[in-house]
Amino acid sequence: MSEPSSVRIDVWLWAVRVYKTRSAATTAIRGGHVRVNGDPVKASYNVKPGDEVRARIAGFDRILGVQKLLLKRVGAPLAAEAYEDRTPPPPPREFVAPIVTRERGAGRPTKRDRREIDRLRGGL
């Protein structure tokens, strides 16, 4: 079986496990969250090896270089061979104050409790 010369972008994104379903990939493409070589595309756009795909997932961009074309969803190890992940590492996380929880039924925080909560969150 020979490898195709091009594959629809929505099928490829689903096959390499970027999106869980093909309809989720199509919805993301329609919403403008997917770009190929810097240009917004339609779901019927055909990708070829060497193209660069940018997919916005959960507020972050994944940059993928197309290595192999897949028509069907495959296992994760085979899917990882079909693309080159060029996504830069995320910036280091800053310290985030822990979320203050109160016991159920404890009522509203007192003035003293509010001051302690504000101090934990980095307020005055």
Side-chain angles (χ1 to χ4, degrees):
M1 186 172 174
S2 65
E3 187 174 301
S5 61
S6 63
V7 176
R8 287 175 55 113
I9 183 71
D10 59 341
V11 173
W12 188 82
L13 288 170
W14 165 75
V16 297
R17 299 172 169 258
V18 174
Y19 292 101
K20 210 171 208 180
T21 63
R22 186 171 166 193
S23 62
T26 304
T27 303
I29 293 167
R30 280 193 196 134
H33 299 288
V34 176
R35 292 176 172 262
V36 177
N37 298 326
D39 299 324
V41 294
K42 292 184 177 183
S44 61
Y45 182 85
N46 288 325
V47 291
K48 301 172 286 313
D51 285 346
E52 181 181 86
V53 178
R54 287 179 178 258
R56 180 167 283 276
I57 304 166
F60 297 100
D61 278 349
R62 280 191 71 189
I63 304 168
L64 307 171
V66 178
Q67 299 290 323
K68 288 172 46 176
L69 300 176
L70 299 174
L71 290 171
K72 299 198 179 218
R73 196 167 173 101
V74 294
L78 291 175
E81 294 175 3
Y83 62 86
E84 175 190 357
D85 195 355
R86 300 175 187 163
T87 307
R93 296 185 69 181
E94 296 178 11
F95 174 74
V96 178
I99 298 173
V100 179
T101 58
R102 295 182 50 82
E103 295 176 15
R104 193 167 183 85
R108 291 180 61 181
T110 63
K111 194 170 193 177
R112 180 179 176 194
D113 292 339
R114 289 293 314 158
R115 287 183 183 144
E116 289 177 3
I117 291 169
D118 289 342
R119 199 171 324 120
L120 279 174
R121 289 187 178 165
L124 302 171

